[in-house]
Amino acid sequence: MTRIVIIGGGPGGYEAALVAAQLGAEVTIVDRDGLGGASVLTDCVPSKTLIATAEVMTGFDSSHEELGIEIDHDGDGIGDEVRGIGVDLGKVNRRVKRLALAQSHDVTASVTRAGVRVLRGRGRLAPHQGPTGTRRVEVTDERDEVLDLEADCVLIATGGQPRELPDARPDGERILTWTQVYDLHELPEELVVVGSGVTGAEFAGAYQALGSRVTLVSSRDRVLPGEDPDAAAVLEDVFRRRGMNVLARSRAASVKRAGDRVEITLADGRVISGTHCLMAVGAVPNTADMGLEEAGVKLRDSGHIWTDKVSRTTAPGVYAAGDCTGVLALASVAAMQGRIAMYHFLGDAVAPLDLNTVSGNIFTDPEIATVGYTQEDVDEGRIVARVVKLPLLRNPRAKMQGVRDGFVKLFARPGTGIVVGGVVVSPRASELIHPISIAVDNSLTVEQIAKAFTVYPSLSGSIAEAARQLHTHRGDGEQ
């Protein structure tokens, strides 16, 4: 029986384990913190649970008056301007942790039922292969005892952790990483978020919705600098309109405690302060002190593991998946990398990883979902495509729901009309992107999308309408 050892129990690790077990391998997962990894315990599941509460707050605040809903705040009539709803952050965070642990237990039960052995401990590659060409993994358990495992194949899926700046060390109380915010018992009165990428934007929007006064410090000229520029512009406008203080082109040089407050010194000498500071300045891979380079595994300058499109590293019999590879920091991509690795090693049919079909979502309000080729690809000439963008203001369901911000954008090849990408900015964009993902993955044409029935009224009707416009307009450029 083929022996496989997986170091790391996140999506890349546990999804790979399920595939390998299904294909008849003897599988062991070595994990330190609990199956599900950061995605389940400290990242995706917790943050989206927190955001779920924020969504309720935002949806009510932004549309209750337009929808005709009134609140009697104090029992003596309607019309009090004081906000009538609030949150108990301690209760919210207890729910966050409870759901994260429950999901981790579900993952553990799933892999255990599949026959996978789970070892709690820290794994590292031994420097030399075994006498039969196999790989050895050294596991240090919770009692500091070392166990040697021999494997025909090793998958590294150790993920990453928040990047820390030398002059802005988190203390877990006032200066926080995104893994530490769930220990807060009270809502930050004034929260400064350093970093305007996906993590920074999600938390900034969530805490503002929960009731914090938020300042977002961005070193770039706009929020979400790596995303669709039209989508980023919509979100930044929403942030500012809701009262967020967005500081563009403002790099944080240092962060320090000042009693019960935090002072953030910017590179240009300005000093801003708040009651709390959330550092969202990227992540670093968990690849240090794992014996990787000694075992022949090539690391990039960033510390990420080099892999090819079937998840192989430069060391025979060693594969890697997830955030430790730096390919694309999405749980879905990590899971696919892990599955591809096992299919490839165990000789099953496998297609190489294709990032042009990956869909992603930013859980702000409104959400931003993307798939396939981007506006930047079109602008830079990497692909020739026609573009149509439809504002949600034209959508009847959006009008009924009081939704004013957002759009649907489709990219299609001229001539053939094959859909090669899309952007959706709207409530529940994470759900609306799926038909566009199917189109991109299966090379469907705008004609095929336009002919498919949609419910009236529905937000998805805008996807069909965009496809109809692309089918009608044969010229290049945005319509």
Side-chain angles (χ1 to χ4, degrees):
M1 182 177 290
T2 303
R3 295 162 298 180
I4 292 175
V5 173
I6 298 170
I7 305 177
Y14 73 74
E15 289 286 352
L18 291 172
V19 166
Q22 184 181 29
L23 295 178
E26 178 185 285
V27 186
T28 301
I29 294 181
V30 180
D31 183 79
R32 289 187 300 176
D33 304 316
L35 294 194
S39 176
V40 168
L41 294 169
T42 60
D43 195 350
C44 293
V45 171
S47 65
K48 279 50 178 179
T49 305
L50 177 76
I51 288 168
T53 300
E55 284 178 347
V56 175
M57 303 285 286
T58 303
F60 185 83
D61 277 349
S62 61
S63 63
H64 76 277
E65 291 184 2
E66 181 174 341
L67 298 181
I69 300 172
E70 296 183 330
I71 304 174
D72 187 348
H73 298 281
D74 49 18
D76 60 359
I78 302 297
D80 192 340
E81 295 298 326
V82 178
R83 189 185 201 192
I85 55 174
V87 296
D88 181 336
L89 190 65
K91 185 178 292 185
V92 171
N93 281 338
R94 287 192 294 274
R95 178 174 183 263
V96 166
K97 292 180 178 180
R98 185 172 66 251
L99 292 181
L101 286 175
Q103 181 64 21
S104 178
H105 291 156
D106 286 346
V107 172
T108 303
S110 178
V111 300
T112 301
R113 282 196 303 270
V116 176
R117 178 171 63 152
V118 179
L119 292 180
R120 179 62 67 93
R122 189 181 192 281
R124 70 188 313 274
L125 280 179
H128 303 293
Q129 290 180 277
T132 59
T134 56
R135 290 284 177 181
R136 288 195 307 111
V137 175
E138 298 173 351
V139 181
T140 304
D141 65 17
E142 295 168 311
R143 296 172 295 182
D144 287 333
E145 296 180 358
V146 178
L147 173 67
D148 278 347
L149 301 178
E150 193 168 347
D152 301 294
C153 171
V154 176
L155 174 69
I156 310 296
T158 48
Q161 59 184 314
R163 177 172 170 247
E164 296 183 5
L165 302 181
D167 295 321
R169 295 294 185 189
D171 61 10
E173 295 179 355
R174 298 282 174 173
I175 306 173
L176 308 158
T177 69
W178 68 77
T179 66
Q180 297 170 330
V181 294
Y182 310 110
D183 293 324
L184 292 175
H185 301 294
E186 296 182 355
L187 188 68
E189 184 179 345
E190 303 169 53
L191 177 66
V192 179
V193 178
V194 176
S196 63
V198 173
T199 300
E202 287 186 345
F203 277 108
Y207 276 101
Q208 178 179 303
L210 294 175
S212 297
R213 293 197 298 275
V214 176
T215 297
L216 180 59
V217 178
S218 173
S219 62
R220 308 288 285 275
D221 59 353
R222 62 178 171 87
V223 301
L224 298 175
E227 302 300 323
D228 181 89
D230 293 330
V234 169
L235 185 65
E236 184 166 338
D237 178 65
V238 169
F239 278 174
R240 293 182 186 275
R241 201 169 65 233
R242 291 176 181 166
M244 186 183 299
N245 182 21
V246 180
L247 300 180
R249 295 181 292 277
S250 301
R251 184 178 299 276
S254 67
V255 182
K256 64 179 181 179
R257 287 281 296 267
D260 289 337
R261 297 186 65 80
V262 179
E263 292 184 348
I264 298 91
T265 301
L266 305 181
D268 60 8
R270 288 177 294 162
V271 178
I272 58 176
S273 69
T275 58
H276 298 76
C277 178
L278 171 61
M279 301 299 297
V281 289
V284 294
N286 294 325
T287 56
D289 193 29
M290 287 191 60
L292 297 178
E293 290 182 295
E294 295 87 342
V297 176
K298 178 183 177 181
L299 299 182
R300 304 182 190 274
D301 292 341
S302 60
H304 292 96
I305 299 172
W306 182 92
T307 58
D308 63 12
K309 291 186 180 298
V310 291
S311 304
R312 289 179 296 191
T313 72
T314 52
V318 180
Y319 291 71
D323 289 2
C324 64
T325 68
V327 171
L328 197 57
L330 293 173
S332 58
V333 172
M336 184 62 74
Q337 286 178 290
R339 289 191 290 262
I340 286 173
M342 295 300 98
Y343 288 136
H344 184 269
F345 182 78
L346 294 171
D348 205 60
V350 62
L353 182 68
D354 182 5
L355 295 180
N356 287 326
T357 63
V358 173
S359 59
N361 192 71
I362 303 171
F363 290 85
T364 48
D365 181 29
E367 292 183 3
I368 299 172
T370 57
V371 65
Y373 285 98
T374 66
Q375 185 71 57
E376 183 182 18
D377 293 326
V378 176
D379 294 343
E380 297 295 327
R382 289 188 284 271
I383 188 171
V384 177
R386 292 183 292 120
V387 184
V388 158
K389 185 179 76 173
L390 289 184
L392 285 186
L393 278 172
R394 303 180 189 175
N395 183 287
R397 186 67 185 277
K399 294 174 183 176
M400 297 170 191
Q401 294 179 320
V403 175
R404 297 182 295 273
D405 302 296
F407 60 82
V408 170
K409 181 191 286 189
L410 290 182
F411 305 91
R413 296 301 299 267
T416 64
I418 292 174
V419 178
V420 293
V423 182
V424 178
V425 181
S426 79
R428 297 292 188 270
S430 50
E431 313 295 341
L432 289 172
I433 197 67
H434 190 234
I436 306 177
S437 296
I438 292 174
V440 171
D441 195 44
N442 293 277
S443 298
L444 301 183
T445 66
V446 291
E447 182 180 14
Q448 289 172 303
I449 294 178
K451 285 184 175 180
F453 277 93
T454 56
V455 171
Y456 182 87
S458 67
L459 295 181
S460 59
S462 287
I463 297 174
E465 178 59 28
R468 280 190 287 272
Q469 290 199 16
L470 277 170
H471 179 60
T472 302
H473 294 92
R474 294 299 182 180
D476 292 337
E478 184 173 308
Q479 307 297 331

